[in-house]
Amino acid sequence: MPNISPEQMRFWSPEVRELEPYVPGEQPKIQNLLKLNTNENPYPPSPKVVAAVQSVLIDSADVLRLYPDPDASALKHAIAKQQHVDVANVFVGNGSDEVLAHIFKAFFVQDKPILYPDITYSFYPVYSQFFGISTQTKILPLNDDFEIDVADYKQPNGGIIITNPNAPTSIALGLSAIEQVLQANPDSVVVIDEAYVDFGAESAVSLVEKYENLVVCQTTSKSRSLAGLRVGFAIARPHLIAALEAVKNSFNSYPIDRFAIAAAVASFEDQEYFVAQCQKVIVSRDKLVADLVALGFKVLPSSANFIFACLPSKDAGELAKALRERGIIVRYFNKPRIDQFLRITIGTDEQNQRLVDTLKHEILV
Ligand SMILES: Cc1ncc(COP(=O)(O)O)c(C=O)c1O
C-alpha cells in the first residue's frame, strides 16, 4: 500500500478509512521457489480443461466481444450433475471468496451475533468489518486440541460460519456434529465453507435437502487446480439461492468469464482426473506428515491439502524465515494461539522431499 497522507485520505469514505483488508499469501518471483504458502494444487488441471479453454478462442475469437452468460447456466448444470443436486440448488461466483462475500451480505447483515471460531479463515473478520457487523460478531474459541465444540454453537445468533475442514488447523468436523449445529439453529443460516473438503472430509451437500437453513460453499481453486480462474459455488435450497442471486445481481451481473465457464465445466465433467489428483495429494500428505513427525514436528490431523505443524524446539517465525532464505515459502500467522505453527501446503512428493531435506540437512542441524 503506498503512503497516503491524511490530506489525501480526506477523499476516502469514512468507512473505507477504517477497513483492515485481508492479506493474501504472497506470490513472489524468486528463482527456484518452492511455494507451499497458499494451498494451491501442485498438479495442473485436467488436460480436458486446457483443451476447453483453448477451444473458446479456436471456435471464434468473436465471442469475446459478447458478454458471457450472466447465469453461467452451463457451469451450474455441470456442478449440479457432479454434486447430485438440482440446478436450482446451485449458485456460482468469482471464486468462493466472492460467494462468501455475497453470503455475508445475504444472510449475516442483521442485528444478531454471527458466530465463528477464533481460529478460522481470516477473511471472515474482514467481511464482518466490510459489511458493518464486526461489533455483532461473536468469536468462539476452539478447544485446546484446536477442535470446534459444537455445544458452543447452541446460543442465540444471526448466522454461523464454519470452515470444514477448518483452516488453518486442517481438522475436519464430522457430519453428525454439523447436523447438531443445524438442528440447534433452525432460524439462522449455517454456512459450511468446504474449500478443502475434497481432500478427505465429508461434504455437507448431502444434508442440503434435509435442512432449509444450510449453505455449503466450495471452490475449484484447490482440488480442481483452478485457482487462477476464480470459480467458487454454493449449494443450498432455492429460497437461499434466490437471496444470493439478488445480491450478485446488485453487484456484478457477469462474475464468471467465458474462459472460466468453459474450464470449470470441463473440470466437473472429468471426474476421473479429479479423483486421481486428490488421491495423489492425500498420499503425499500422509508421507510428509510421517517425515515431519520423524524430525520432531507435532502435526494436527489433516483432512486438507495442507498441514498445520509446530516444532516445539524451534520458534515458528524463525523457522519460516530460515525456509524462506532457502527458497521455500510456507504460511506463518503471527497471531495468538497459532504463532508457533506453520501452515504447509502439500506439494508433489519431490517438492515435499525438498522441504524435508532442507529442514533435516540445513536448518535443524
Ligand atoms: C477456507 C477458505 N475458504 C475460501 C477460500 C477462497 O477460495 P477461492 O476464492 O480461491 O475460491 C479459501 C482460500 O484460501 C479458504 O482457505
Side-chain angles (χ1 to χ4, degrees):
M1 170 106 142
N3 247 346
I4 313 283
S5 69
E7 203 208 345
Q8 293 168 318
M9 197 72 103
R10 75 187 189 285
F11 295 115
W12 294 32
S13 76
E15 234 178 72
V16 171
R17 281 180 228 170
E18 297 303 316
L19 287 182
E20 285 173 49
Y22 177 75
V23 182
E26 51 179 340
Q27 302 280 357
K29 311 262 175 298
I30 299 175
Q31 273 211 336
N32 199 21
L33 172 74
L34 175 49
K35 205 175 156 303
L36 303 177
N37 65 330
T38 46
N39 299 341
E40 288 138 333
N41 199 304
Y43 300 107
S46 154
K48 291 181 184 162
V49 167
V50 179
V53 172
Q54 283 165 342
S55 75
V56 172
L57 286 183
I58 289 167
D59 288 352
S60 165
D62 195 44
V63 292
L64 294 189
R65 200 171 50 76
L66 305 169
Y67 283 107
D69 174 8
D71 206 35
S73 170
L75 176 56
K76 284 184 178 174
H77 276 90
I79 294 172
K81 192 166 172 218
Q82 190 261 332
Q83 295 282 333
H84 307 294
V85 295
D86 194 89
V87 71
N89 296 119
V90 183
F91 176 78
V92 290
N94 192 270
S96 60
D97 279 340
E98 186 185 78
V99 175
L100 289 165
H102 291 343
I103 283 172
F104 268 68
K105 179 70 176 170
F107 307 119
F108 292 171
V109 181
Q110 39 183 311
D111 53 11
K112 286 178 278 175
I114 305 309
L115 311 181
Y116 55 78
D118 60 340
I119 299 163
T120 190
Y121 186 33
S122 36
F123 226 130
Y124 304 156
V126 175
Y127 289 136
S128 294
Q129 193 199 26
F130 186 69
F131 290 113
I133 51 167
S134 357
T135 49
Q136 285 109 274
T137 303
K138 201 157 176 187
I139 310 280
L140 303 171
L142 297 180
N143 71 18
D144 290 344
D145 294 323
F146 296 102
E147 294 161 342
I148 289 171
D149 185 347
V150 290
D152 293 344
Y153 293 79
K154 294 177 183 170
Q155 57 173 296
N157 66 77
I160 293 172
I161 183 158
I162 290 175
T163 311
N164 191 39
N166 198 5
T169 66
S170 77
I171 296 175
L173 200 60
L175 278 197
S176 62
I178 288 172
E179 283 209 75
Q180 283 180 49
V181 176
L182 286 159
Q183 284 163 5
N185 296 283
D187 294 320
S188 43
V189 169
V190 176
V191 178
I192 308 296
D193 178 353
E194 295 188 345
Y196 302 100
V197 76
D198 298 320
F199 299 104
E202 269 181 297
S203 173
V205 167
S206 61
L207 301 177
V208 161
E209 265 321 294
K210 194 167 164 194
Y211 295 98
E212 62 171 2
N213 57 333
L214 170 63
V215 178
V216 181
C217 186
Q218 291 193 14
T219 177
T220 62
S221 297
K222 319 291 179 178
S223 54
R224 293 181 183 276
S225 308
L226 293 179
L229 273 181
R230 317 304 302 125
V231 175
F233 60 99
I235 309 282
R237 296 267 288 276
H239 61 280
L240 300 181
I241 297 294
L244 292 172
E245 295 289 357
V247 172
K248 172 235 162 196
N249 287 317
S250 308
F251 179 75
N252 178 5
S253 315
Y254 307 101
I256 312 200
D257 64 54
R258 287 175 181 275
F259 295 107
I261 291 174
V265 166
S267 171
F268 284 104
E269 286 175 349
D270 194 353
Q271 193 63 7
E272 203 180 315
Y273 181 90
F274 161 74
V275 171
Q277 300 312 105
C278 290
Q279 199 48 39
K280 262 162 89 172
V281 171
I282 291 168
V283 171
S284 300
R285 176 184 73 208
D286 295 346
K287 176 165 189 326
L288 177 62
V289 170
D291 288 348
L292 291 180
V293 167
L295 290 179
F297 278 84
K298 183 182 154 211
V299 185
L300 300 190
S302 174
S303 298
N305 69 334
F306 60 90
I307 54 171
F308 206 44
C310 79
L311 184 62
S313 59
K314 188 129 179 123
D315 179 75
E318 292 295 316
L319 204 50
K321 194 162 158 266
L323 284 168
R324 193 194 168 86
E325 284 161 8
R326 290 158 179 86
I328 302 176
I329 304 196
V330 298
R331 191 88 196 250
Y332 171 67
F333 299 93
N334 194 1
K335 289 186 179 169
R337 293 190 75 191
I338 55 170
D339 64 353
Q340 285 313 313
F341 280 84
L342 297 178
R343 193 194 70 188
I344 306 171
T345 304
I346 307 302
T348 61
D349 281 339
E350 296 71 36
Q351 291 172 335
N352 298 337
Q353 195 59 49
R354 178 174 157 199
L355 169 74
V356 171
D357 288 345
T358 304
L359 285 165
K360 194 168 169 178
H361 302 302
E362 299 183 36
I363 299 177
L364 306 177
V365 280

Short mmCIF file of all heavy atoms in Angstrom, two decimals, residues 85-115:
data_model
loop_
_atom_site.label_atom_id
_atom_site.label_comp_id
_atom_site.label_asym_id
_atom_site.label_seq_id
_atom_site.Cartn_x
_atom_site.Cartn_y
_atom_site.Cartn_z
N VAL A 85 -27.26 -32.73 -7.20
CA VAL A 85 -28.33 -31.83 -6.73
C VAL A 85 -29.03 -31.26 -7.96
O VAL A 85 -28.58 -31.44 -9.10
CB VAL A 85 -27.78 -30.66 -5.87
CG1 VAL A 85 -27.16 -31.19 -4.58
CG2 VAL A 85 -26.78 -29.81 -6.64
N ASP A 86 -30.13 -30.54 -7.72
CA ASP A 86 -30.84 -29.90 -8.81
C ASP A 86 -30.13 -28.60 -9.17
O ASP A 86 -29.49 -27.97 -8.30
CB ASP A 86 -32.27 -29.60 -8.33
CG ASP A 86 -33.16 -29.26 -9.49
OD1 ASP A 86 -33.76 -30.21 -10.04
OD2 ASP A 86 -33.23 -28.07 -9.86
N VAL A 87 -30.25 -28.17 -10.41
CA VAL A 87 -29.57 -26.93 -10.81
C VAL A 87 -30.10 -25.72 -10.01
O VAL A 87 -29.36 -24.75 -9.77
CB VAL A 87 -29.69 -26.73 -12.35
CG1 VAL A 87 -31.10 -26.38 -12.76
CG2 VAL A 87 -28.69 -25.71 -12.85
N ALA A 88 -31.32 -25.82 -9.51
CA ALA A 88 -31.89 -24.73 -8.69
C ALA A 88 -31.20 -24.62 -7.33
O ALA A 88 -31.39 -23.65 -6.60
CB ALA A 88 -33.39 -24.96 -8.49
N ASN A 89 -30.37 -25.61 -7.00
CA ASN A 89 -29.64 -25.59 -5.73
C ASN A 89 -28.25 -24.96 -5.87
O ASN A 89 -27.49 -24.94 -4.90
CB ASN A 89 -29.43 -27.02 -5.20
CG ASN A 89 -30.71 -27.72 -4.84
OD1 ASN A 89 -31.05 -28.75 -5.41
ND2 ASN A 89 -31.45 -27.15 -3.92
N VAL A 90 -27.90 -24.48 -7.08
CA VAL A 90 -26.52 -24.06 -7.32
C VAL A 90 -26.40 -22.54 -7.53
O VAL A 90 -27.16 -21.95 -8.31
CB VAL A 90 -25.94 -24.78 -8.57
CG1 VAL A 90 -24.48 -24.41 -8.78
CG2 VAL A 90 -26.09 -26.29 -8.44
N PHE A 91 -25.42 -21.95 -6.86
CA PHE A 91 -25.05 -20.55 -7.07
C PHE A 91 -23.57 -20.52 -7.42
O PHE A 91 -22.78 -21.27 -6.84
CB PHE A 91 -25.29 -19.73 -5.79
CG PHE A 91 -24.85 -18.30 -5.90
CD1 PHE A 91 -25.62 -17.36 -6.56
CD2 PHE A 91 -23.63 -17.89 -5.35
CE1 PHE A 91 -25.20 -16.04 -6.68
CE2 PHE A 91 -23.21 -16.57 -5.48
CZ PHE A 91 -24.00 -15.65 -6.13
N VAL A 92 -23.16 -19.69 -8.38
CA VAL A 92 -21.74 -19.63 -8.74
C VAL A 92 -21.21 -18.20 -8.62
O VAL A 92 -21.95 -17.23 -8.79
CB VAL A 92 -21.47 -20.16 -10.18
CG1 VAL A 92 -21.69 -21.66 -10.25
CG2 VAL A 92 -22.32 -19.45 -11.21
N GLY A 93 -19.93 -18.08 -8.30
CA GLY A 93 -19.33 -16.76 -8.15
C GLY A 93 -17.87 -16.75 -8.53
O GLY A 93 -17.26 -17.80 -8.79
N ASN A 94 -17.29 -15.55 -8.54
CA ASN A 94 -15.91 -15.35 -8.95
C ASN A 94 -14.97 -15.75 -7.80
O ASN A 94 -14.48 -14.91 -7.04
CB ASN A 94 -15.73 -13.87 -9.32
CG ASN A 94 -14.42 -13.63 -10.02
OD1 ASN A 94 -13.40 -13.34 -9.39
ND2 ASN A 94 -14.42 -13.75 -11.31
N GLY A 95 -14.75 -17.05 -7.69
CA GLY A 95 -14.00 -17.57 -6.55
C GLY A 95 -14.94 -17.70 -5.36
O GLY A 95 -15.96 -16.99 -5.28
N SER A 96 -14.61 -18.61 -4.43
CA SER A 96 -15.52 -18.74 -3.29
C SER A 96 -15.40 -17.53 -2.37
O SER A 96 -16.31 -17.26 -1.58
CB SER A 96 -15.34 -20.06 -2.54
OG SER A 96 -14.05 -20.18 -2.05
N ASP A 97 -14.32 -16.76 -2.47
CA ASP A 97 -14.26 -15.51 -1.70
C ASP A 97 -15.44 -14.60 -2.06
O ASP A 97 -16.07 -13.99 -1.19
CB ASP A 97 -12.94 -14.77 -1.95
CG ASP A 97 -11.79 -15.35 -1.13
OD1 ASP A 97 -12.06 -16.03 -0.12
OD2 ASP A 97 -10.63 -15.12 -1.50
N GLU A 98 -15.74 -14.51 -3.35
CA GLU A 98 -16.87 -13.67 -3.74
C GLU A 98 -18.19 -14.29 -3.26
O GLU A 98 -19.08 -13.59 -2.79
CB GLU A 98 -16.91 -13.46 -5.25
CG GLU A 98 -18.01 -12.48 -5.63
CD GLU A 98 -18.17 -12.32 -7.13
OE1 GLU A 98 -18.77 -13.21 -7.77
OE2 GLU A 98 -17.70 -11.30 -7.66
N VAL A 99 -18.29 -15.62 -3.40
CA VAL A 99 -19.51 -16.30 -2.93
C VAL A 99 -19.70 -16.04 -1.43
O VAL A 99 -20.80 -15.73 -0.97
CB VAL A 99 -19.43 -17.82 -3.23
CG1 VAL A 99 -20.64 -18.54 -2.65
CG2 VAL A 99 -19.32 -18.07 -4.73
N LEU A 100 -18.59 -16.11 -0.68
CA LEU A 100 -18.68 -15.87 0.77
C LEU A 100 -19.10 -14.43 1.07
O LEU A 100 -19.89 -14.17 1.98
CB LEU A 100 -17.33 -16.17 1.44
CG LEU A 100 -16.97 -17.66 1.50
CD1 LEU A 100 -15.49 -17.85 1.84
CD2 LEU A 100 -17.84 -18.40 2.52
N ALA A 101 -18.57 -13.50 0.29
CA ALA A 101 -18.96 -12.09 0.50
C ALA A 101 -20.46 -11.94 0.29
O ALA A 101 -21.16 -11.30 1.09
CB ALA A 101 -18.20 -11.18 -0.47
N HIS A 102 -20.98 -12.57 -0.76
CA HIS A 102 -22.43 -12.49 -1.02
C HIS A 102 -23.21 -13.19 0.09
O HIS A 102 -24.31 -12.76 0.45
CB HIS A 102 -22.75 -13.11 -2.38
CG HIS A 102 -22.23 -12.32 -3.55
ND1 HIS A 102 -21.85 -11.00 -3.45
CD2 HIS A 102 -22.04 -12.66 -4.85
CE1 HIS A 102 -21.44 -10.57 -4.64
NE2 HIS A 102 -21.54 -11.56 -5.50
N ILE A 103 -22.64 -14.26 0.63
CA ILE A 103 -23.30 -14.97 1.74
C ILE A 103 -23.40 -14.05 2.96
O ILE A 103 -24.46 -13.95 3.60
CB ILE A 103 -22.49 -16.26 2.08
CG1 ILE A 103 -22.79 -17.34 1.03
CG2 ILE A 103 -22.81 -16.76 3.48
CD1 ILE A 103 -21.91 -18.59 1.14
N PHE A 104 -22.31 -13.35 3.27
CA PHE A 104 -22.36 -12.42 4.42
C PHE A 104 -23.45 -11.37 4.19
O PHE A 104 -24.24 -11.08 5.07
CB PHE A 104 -20.99 -11.74 4.61
CG PHE A 104 -20.09 -12.47 5.58
CD1 PHE A 104 -19.57 -13.72 5.25
CD2 PHE A 104 -19.76 -11.93 6.81
CE1 PHE A 104 -18.74 -14.41 6.14
CE2 PHE A 104 -18.94 -12.60 7.71
CZ PHE A 104 -18.42 -13.84 7.38
N LYS A 105 -23.47 -10.81 2.99
CA LYS A 105 -24.44 -9.75 2.70
C LYS A 105 -25.87 -10.31 2.74
O LYS A 105 -26.78 -9.69 3.28
CB LYS A 105 -24.14 -9.16 1.31
CG LYS A 105 -25.08 -8.07 0.86
CD LYS A 105 -24.87 -6.80 1.65
CE LYS A 105 -25.74 -5.67 1.12
NZ LYS A 105 -25.71 -4.51 2.03
N ALA A 106 -26.06 -11.50 2.15
CA ALA A 106 -27.41 -12.05 2.00
C ALA A 106 -28.00 -12.52 3.32
O ALA A 106 -29.21 -12.41 3.53
CB ALA A 106 -27.39 -13.22 1.00
N PHE A 107 -27.16 -13.05 4.22
CA PHE A 107 -27.72 -13.72 5.40
C PHE A 107 -27.26 -13.15 6.74
O PHE A 107 -27.96 -13.28 7.74
CB PHE A 107 -27.37 -15.22 5.37
CG PHE A 107 -27.75 -15.90 4.08
CD1 PHE A 107 -26.79 -16.49 3.27
CD2 PHE A 107 -29.07 -15.91 3.65
CE1 PHE A 107 -27.13 -17.10 2.07
CE2 PHE A 107 -29.43 -16.51 2.46
CZ PHE A 107 -28.46 -17.11 1.66
N PHE A 108 -26.07 -12.56 6.78
CA PHE A 108 -25.49 -12.23 8.09
C PHE A 108 -25.63 -10.77 8.50
O PHE A 108 -25.35 -10.44 9.64
CB PHE A 108 -23.99 -12.59 8.09
CG PHE A 108 -23.69 -14.08 8.04
CD1 PHE A 108 -22.38 -14.51 7.85
CD2 PHE A 108 -24.69 -15.02 8.18
CE1 PHE A 108 -22.09 -15.87 7.81
CE2 PHE A 108 -24.41 -16.38 8.13
CZ PHE A 108 -23.10 -16.81 7.95
N VAL A 109 -26.01 -9.91 7.56
CA VAL A 109 -26.09 -8.49 7.92
C VAL A 109 -27.41 -8.25 8.64
O VAL A 109 -28.45 -7.96 8.03
CB VAL A 109 -25.94 -7.58 6.68
CG1 VAL A 109 -26.00 -6.11 7.09
CG2 VAL A 109 -24.62 -7.88 5.97
N GLN A 110 -27.39 -8.47 9.93
CA GLN A 110 -28.57 -8.26 10.76
C GLN A 110 -28.11 -7.97 12.18
O GLN A 110 -26.91 -7.97 12.45
CB GLN A 110 -29.49 -9.45 10.68
CG GLN A 110 -28.81 -10.81 10.65
CD GLN A 110 -29.83 -11.92 10.49
OE1 GLN A 110 -30.81 -11.93 11.20
NE2 GLN A 110 -29.59 -12.81 9.55
N ASP A 111 -29.07 -7.71 13.08
CA ASP A 111 -28.64 -7.21 14.40
C ASP A 111 -28.47 -8.30 15.45
O ASP A 111 -28.57 -8.03 16.64
CB ASP A 111 -29.61 -6.11 14.88
CG ASP A 111 -31.04 -6.58 14.86
OD1 ASP A 111 -31.25 -7.80 14.68
OD2 ASP A 111 -31.95 -5.74 15.00
N LYS A 112 -28.21 -9.52 15.01
CA LYS A 112 -27.91 -10.59 15.98
C LYS A 112 -26.49 -11.09 15.71
O LYS A 112 -25.98 -10.93 14.60
CB LYS A 112 -28.92 -11.73 15.80
CG LYS A 112 -30.30 -11.39 16.36
CD LYS A 112 -31.29 -12.51 16.14
CE LYS A 112 -31.85 -12.42 14.74
NZ LYS A 112 -32.72 -13.51 14.35
N PRO A 113 -25.83 -11.66 16.72
CA PRO A 113 -24.41 -12.00 16.52
C PRO A 113 -24.16 -13.13 15.52
O PRO A 113 -24.91 -14.09 15.46
CB PRO A 113 -23.94 -12.43 17.91
CG PRO A 113 -25.16 -12.80 18.65
CD PRO A 113 -26.29 -12.00 18.07
N ILE A 114 -23.10 -12.96 14.73
CA ILE A 114 -22.63 -14.02 13.82
C ILE A 114 -21.59 -14.82 14.60
O ILE A 114 -20.73 -14.25 15.26
CB ILE A 114 -21.96 -13.38 12.58
CG1 ILE A 114 -22.91 -12.39 11.90
CG2 ILE A 114 -21.48 -14.44 11.60
CD1 ILE A 114 -24.26 -12.94 11.61
N LEU A 115 -21.66 -16.14 14.51
CA LEU A 115 -20.74 -16.98 15.27
C LEU A 115 -19.73 -17.65 14.34
O LEU A 115 -20.11 -18.21 13.31
CB LEU A 115 -21.51 -18.09 16.00
CG LEU A 115 -22.74 -17.71 16.83
CD1 LEU A 115 -23.32 -18.97 17.49
CD2 LEU A 115 -22.40 -16.67 17.89
#
